[in-house]
Amino acid sequence: MKLVFATNNQNKLKEVKALIPSQIELLSLSDIGCEEDIPETSPTIEGNAKQKAKYIWEHYGYNCFADDTGLEVEALNGAPGVFSARYAGTAKDANANMKKLLNELDGKENRNAQFKTVIALEIEGKLTTFTGICKGSITVSKKGEGGFGYDPIFLPEEHTETFAELPLSEKNKIGHRGKAIRQLIEYFV
């Protein structure tokens, strides 16, 4: 079965390819010739995932899935949330995003946060969603060289290492995207 993962993010693609069984041929947006920026105009994480999946189905005719992920911080009323990638501006600069978040949390005792991923699966025009959540907290400084996005400042519950310090196999086991992808895989089993 061919299935498009509606992303241009090579880090996400790498994480997902490590989880998808070999009977599913995973295609990227570049594999299908989709070079445009798919609109993400919904005010919710779920809405953006649905919007991207529908776009690929309607414009390219491929069965596909799309994800949207947000970091939700308790002390910031769920921010950055749907704006996680663009928190410090439209450049989608991970270091600037982390710096802004750490500055906003400076002096705050409550550093509880969660990563939330919603996957929207579009198969023959039928839409299904899957949600993965990983609870944790925001560190006071960056730690680790792996991962991407906010991984160097996100400490998952019951762990002493940030996502950026954990091996990909461990991150996939406990992380938000891994949880949502496993639900997607179970859908096909």
Side-chain angles (χ1 to χ4, degrees):
M1 169 189 215
K2 286 185 179 181
L3 193 59
V4 173
F5 180 22
T7 188
N8 283 315
N9 184 319
Q10 293 304 307
N11 291 304
K12 283 185 183 182
L13 199 56
K14 181 180 174 185
E15 280 187 11
V16 170
K17 278 187 174 180
L19 294 167
I20 294 288
S22 59
Q23 64 263 33
I24 296 175
E25 183 185 347
L26 192 63
L27 303 173
S28 67
L29 290 177
S30 62
D31 291 334
I32 64 167
C34 177
E35 302 299 327
E36 65 265 28
D37 272 338
I38 300 172
E40 293 183 59
T41 56
S42 173
T44 67
I45 292 168
E46 183 175 320
N48 280 335
K50 288 178 176 179
Q51 188 176 19
K52 291 186 279 187
K54 281 181 179 274
Y55 184 91
I56 295 303
W57 172 254
E58 290 171 357
H59 291 85
Y60 290 88
Y62 281 96
N63 290 327
C64 69
F65 68 95
D67 82 322
D68 198 33
T69 297
L71 177 63
E72 300 171 332
V73 180
E74 263 183 33
L76 302 178
N77 298 315
V82 73
F83 301 107
S84 293
R86 298 172 184 83
Y87 196 46
T90 57
K92 297 183 182 181
D93 182 323
N95 286 317
N97 290 337
M98 285 186 283
K99 183 177 180 182
K100 179 178 179 178
L101 181 61
L102 290 174
N103 285 340
E104 290 185 356
L105 287 177
D106 190 37
K108 292 196 181 345
E109 201 171 299
N110 180 0
R111 299 181 81 84
N112 294 336
Q114 69 177 21
F115 266 119
K116 177 181 179 182
T117 292
V118 176
I119 291 177
L121 173 67
E122 183 91 26
I123 300 285
E124 304 300 326
K126 180 181 178 236
L127 193 65
T128 307
T129 60
F130 311 94
T131 302
I133 291 176
C134 182
K135 294 186 177 293
S137 60
I138 304 300
T139 59
V140 294
S141 62
K142 296 192 289 186
K143 296 177 185 169
E145 301 297 319
F148 62 99
Y150 295 92
D151 287 357
I153 61 170
F154 184 79
L155 184 68
E157 278 185 347
E158 300 176 13
H159 284 75
T160 57
E161 296 173 302
T162 66
F163 267 170
E165 295 174 294
L166 293 172
L168 179 58
S169 58
E170 180 66 14
K171 182 184 174 191
N172 275 343
K173 195 183 302 179
I174 64 167
H176 47 291
R177 190 168 296 104
K179 289 176 180 178
I181 289 292
R182 281 190 291 283
Q183 293 171 43
L184 171 74
I185 293 166
E186 286 168 17
Y187 178 85
F188 289 109
V189 176

